[in-house]
Amino acid sequence: MQSQDVAPRPASAASGGPVVDVEQAEAALVEHYPRLVRLAYLVLPPAPSRGRRVLSAHALVQRTLPRGRTAAPVIPAQSTGDRDGDPGYAYVRLRVLRTALEAGLPLRRKAWPKRSQLPPVLPQVWGLRLFPRSGGADELALDQQLSALSAPARAVYALRGLERLTDPDVREALSRAGIAEAEVDAALAEADTVAARYALLDSPEFDPCSLQARPTDLMRRRQHGKAAVAATVAAVVCGALLGMPGDGWGPDGAAAPPYAQNASAQAALDPSRLVKISPAVWKSSARTDFTVWPARGELTGDTELLRRALAVWARPGQSVQVSATPGTPTGGPAGPPQLLFAGLVDNARVVLLHDGLRLTRYAEPKDGQAGAALDLARLDGATAAEATAVVLNRADGNVRYLTAPWVREAAERDLVKPGSGAMDLTVADGVTSPMASPATRSGDCTSWNVLQLTTDDSTRLASDLGELVPARLTTGRPGAAHDASGAEALRTWAPYACSLAAVQGQGVRSVNAWSFAEQTLPEDGGTASWVCTRAETWRGGGERVLAQFHTPGGTYGAVAAKGEDVPECGAREPQVLAGVLWKSAAGSWYLLAAGGRDTAAIETTGGVKASAEGNLLAVRTKNGVRAGLKGTLTDGRTVEALR
């Protein structure tokens, strides 16, 4: 049986269509961002430059989220990965189309310009010109032909070729975007004058997410730089004169003057005071965290490199690229930190330091110091399960790790394909060979490579989420979760691996996948599974929870509900309740709902009135219906739908 979904138009509650809230629109925008930006780029007017057009396309797409959200939880239609069945995508695509068409309207003297007609405020790139990669002669000719068309005609061509819409659907999309019927007819006819070479629209020539960079006018930048330096010096002199009388900018109490040297602060910046653990300590120590990692790498004796790393940590300059996970302090160390690694990795010199609370990575180019980077991540309270690997470097879509001294083997595994097997990684002095990183991937998610680490007593999986420490992956009921190893755990994670992209860069410590229910689908539709994924953070807040629904034969799960800073699916509240609209092979729509095993009954509210004993509910209904859910636990407590 194949489950299907429809492509309803975003509508208000009064129109009877599905209501699109902020979360649903955001999910569609993030998932289909490259395609939406490509659509905006094709519809936008070609002037004044390709670089401005690239930034405008990104700005238009990033401003398409709705401002309001529904008061009651919305039960979305089941998604099979086809964007055309997602009302969130339909809404965002309409917003992108409308604003891109508005950007091509001429400015009028007696009317305020629309925001899309003005240069983008964000995103901005200083000192570089960005433009898509050049295609061949066919792509260049097509770009010139599209530039000569009107904005509605370009929209027709893009919707036909990029979105594969029929002419009736194109006509409806333009009408919804505010184009008059006569103009729609003219646009369809005008678009017919350009040959239907739609395959070229997928080329890099029209991809504003795959860019080339070139410098701007260097002479003009030098002149502006001299003027900026003069203005800065004048401001500093004026500030010093104003701050001299009395207590200056403000009293500092018992603190020493800013120019005084503090012994502890000076010791923290002295490379000779760095803590270096012996390679044999971890074998006899009761601790199994970063504090027993030995100092590794061929540059652990490079005093000048270590001095630069400590100085940049304490006082990063303006040219240093500094990043920190949420909740991580960015100040320098309070005392001499521990050295974990100093060595050459690919084309960079890398230093890893640990001060008991944070992990810090300093990197500079192999042939100089310009372009240095400083990354910090909070990881206090790390156990042996989390202190297994640290990111050394990311380059060319790959990542290298430094593994714990107790790791015996390292391998790479595709989490989407549980039966594909693991590919061994070579490990030299704790440094792994490069493996594909999902954190640097762009485009559709067809694979999700994770790190598999084997110790004397366990095998663990960890995923690169764009941070210094990969997130530990587990499965099982909250409070009794275990490492995601073994065939059953891999099968549990496979449909939901790509959902890890939603928690990248959030300071994630671990992600658990809990299969909380299995449901027999109506009309002999097979058995569907309900899984709740919960991402825990190092800072103890900002947890993200996704209730997901997977139909038999489907590759990916569909997000039925989501929540942030909620206790559901965690050790404190191992419960969850979620629902979804599902369409059978015969075309009938059903409202499906499921809760944890402690759910004694489920009741619906709103547009559907039904109830069921136990933790499962299935009731026939209509597409686009709005309904709420309420569950009763075996101990008498009530539970609301995840939101």
Side-chain angles (χ1 to χ4, degrees):
M1 181 209 120
Q2 279 188 329
S3 59
Q4 303 175 355
D5 45 58
V6 298
R9 301 176 301 188
S12 65
S15 65
V19 173
V20 177
D21 58 9
V22 176
E23 290 81 1
Q24 191 175 1
E26 180 186 20
L29 189 149
V30 172
E31 182 179 0
H32 305 292
Y33 183 85
R35 180 168 292 274
L36 291 167
V37 175
R38 191 187 292 258
L39 176 63
Y41 182 81
L42 288 169
V43 179
L44 282 170
S49 67
R50 296 178 73 195
R52 173 71 61 80
R53 187 174 163 198
V54 164
L55 295 179
S56 296
H58 283 274
L60 291 183
V61 174
Q62 293 173 17
R63 294 200 304 264
T64 54
L65 290 182
R67 295 182 180 275
R69 66 170 62 187
T70 56
V74 178
I75 301 177
Q78 176 215 351
S79 172
T80 60
D82 184 1
R83 63 182 182 275
D84 297 328
D86 185 1
Y89 178 78
Y91 173 84
V92 173
R93 182 177 66 186
L94 178 61
R95 288 285 298 267
V96 169
L97 184 62
R98 180 182 293 122
T99 52
L101 289 170
E102 290 174 352
L105 297 176
L107 295 174
R108 299 180 181 178
R109 291 186 177 181
K110 296 183 180 181
W112 288 98
K114 296 181 180 293
R115 187 176 180 184
S116 57
Q117 295 176 280
L118 301 175
V121 177
L122 290 174
Q124 287 288 350
V125 179
W126 300 97
L128 289 175
R129 294 185 295 110
L130 300 178
F131 47 91
R133 299 180 181 275
S134 299
D138 292 338
E139 287 86 351
L140 180 60
L142 179 59
D143 188 37
Q144 293 174 345
Q145 290 175 324
L146 293 178
S147 299
L149 298 179
S150 64
R154 286 195 301 272
V156 169
Y157 198 92
L159 291 174
R160 285 173 173 173
L162 197 63
E163 295 296 300
R164 305 293 192 267
L165 297 185
T166 62
D167 279 5
D169 291 333
V170 170
R171 181 183 297 275
E172 182 180 3
L174 291 182
S175 298
R176 282 176 168 265
I179 305 299
E181 184 175 354
E183 294 180 58
V184 173
D185 293 334
L188 289 168
E190 187 179 359
D192 289 336
T193 62
V194 178
R197 293 175 293 176
Y198 298 138
L200 298 179
L201 297 182
D202 291 324
S203 70
E205 175 77 18
F206 304 102
D207 184 7
C209 290
S210 178
L211 303 173
Q212 297 184 93
R214 294 293 184 271
T216 55
D217 190 329
L218 298 180
M219 292 300 297
R220 181 176 296 179
R221 283 170 54 185
R222 180 176 297 177
Q223 295 171 358
H224 291 174
K226 292 179 179 178
V229 170
T232 302
V233 171
V236 171
V237 172
C238 292
L241 293 175
L242 290 173
M244 286 177 62
D247 293 328
W249 296 109
D252 290 331
Y259 50 81
Q261 293 186 349
N262 178 272
S264 297
Q266 292 298 313
L269 302 180
D270 186 353
S272 66
R273 301 283 192 92
L274 283 171
V275 178
K276 298 180 181 180
I277 304 299
S278 170
V281 168
W282 69 271
K283 297 180 181 179
S284 58
S285 174
R287 304 192 63 160
T288 53
D289 55 14
F290 292 106
T291 60
V292 295
W293 278 33
R296 288 172 284 182
E298 69 273 29
L299 299 180
T300 54
D302 190 335
T303 303
E304 294 304 315
L305 171 64
L306 300 178
R307 189 186 306 278
R308 289 195 298 272
L310 291 168
V312 170
W313 185 0
R315 303 182 308 277
Q318 294 184 353
S319 63
V320 179
Q321 303 176 29
V322 181
S323 69
T325 56
T328 302
T330 57
Q338 175 189 354
L339 177 63
L340 302 183
F341 179 87
L344 288 172
V345 183
D346 297 324
N347 293 318
R349 290 188 288 261
V350 177
V351 177
L352 284 178
L353 300 167
H354 179 238
D355 68 351
L357 171 68
R358 299 163 297 173
L359 187 71
T360 301
R361 186 183 79 104
Y362 170 79
E364 64 181 27
K366 179 180 178 181
D367 300 324
Q369 301 173 25
L374 184 71
D375 303 308
L376 300 101
R378 177 178 175 177
L379 39 74
D380 49 312
T383 65
E386 293 105 6
T388 52
V390 174
V391 171
L392 280 179
N393 193 38
R394 295 185 184 90
D396 301 326
N398 296 321
V399 59
R400 286 182 186 267
Y401 293 98
L402 178 68
T403 61
W406 51 84
V407 170
R408 293 192 295 105
E409 297 176 358
E412 176 182 5
R413 175 182 290 279
D414 187 353
L415 200 58
V416 175
K417 303 176 180 64
S420 60
M423 298 175 288
D424 292 338
L425 299 173
T426 59
V427 181
D429 196 21
V431 180
T432 69
S433 55
M435 60 168 282
S437 170
T440 61
R441 189 202 66 244
S442 61
D444 295 335
C445 178
T446 57
S447 63
W448 194 276
N449 289 44
V450 296
L451 178 66
Q452 178 175 292
L453 299 173
T454 303
T455 63
D456 288 335
D457 56 1
S458 66
T459 298
R460 296 187 174 97
L461 295 183
S463 176
D464 182 13
L465 298 181
E467 302 170 3
L468 282 182
V469 179
R472 177 191 180 194
L473 301 182
T474 61
T475 57
R477 182 177 174 81
H482 52 83
D483 284 295
S485 60
E488 183 178 354
L490 293 174
R491 287 193 297 269
T492 298
W493 259 112
Y496 315 103
C498 291
S499 67
L500 289 170
V503 294
Q504 290 189 111
Q506 300 301 314
V508 175
R509 181 173 188 163
S510 63
V511 186
N512 183 55
W514 170 37
S515 180
F516 65 90
E518 289 190 347
Q519 185 171 23
T520 301
L521 298 175
E523 302 181 15
D524 297 325
T527 301
S529 61
W530 291 86
V531 168
C532 187
T533 57
R534 179 181 176 90
E536 302 285 356
T537 66
W538 288 100
R539 64 188 183 277
E543 300 85 0
R544 297 196 176 188
V545 180
L546 298 178
Q548 304 190 58
F549 177 72
H550 181 231
T551 55
T555 303
Y556 306 108
V559 176
K562 63 175 64 176
E564 186 171 352
D565 289 317
V566 295
E568 282 89 346
C569 301
R572 291 181 178 272
E573 187 63 47
Q575 305 294 340
V576 67
L577 180 62
V580 72
L581 285 177
W582 174 79
K583 187 179 181 182
S584 70
S588 302
W589 285 93
Y590 289 86
L591 168 60
L592 307 178
R597 66 186 183 188
D598 294 334
T599 304
I602 300 176
E603 179 183 357
T604 64
T605 61
V608 178
K609 301 294 184 181
S611 61
E613 297 293 326
N615 67 330
L616 300 172
L617 177 143
V619 57
R620 190 164 181 172
T621 184
K622 297 180 180 179
N623 181 28
V625 69
R626 294 179 58 190
L629 295 174
K630 183 174 69 174
T632 303
L633 303 180
T634 53
D635 60 5
R637 292 184 297 139
T638 60
V639 58
E640 301 292 334
L642 176 66
R643 58 176 303 180

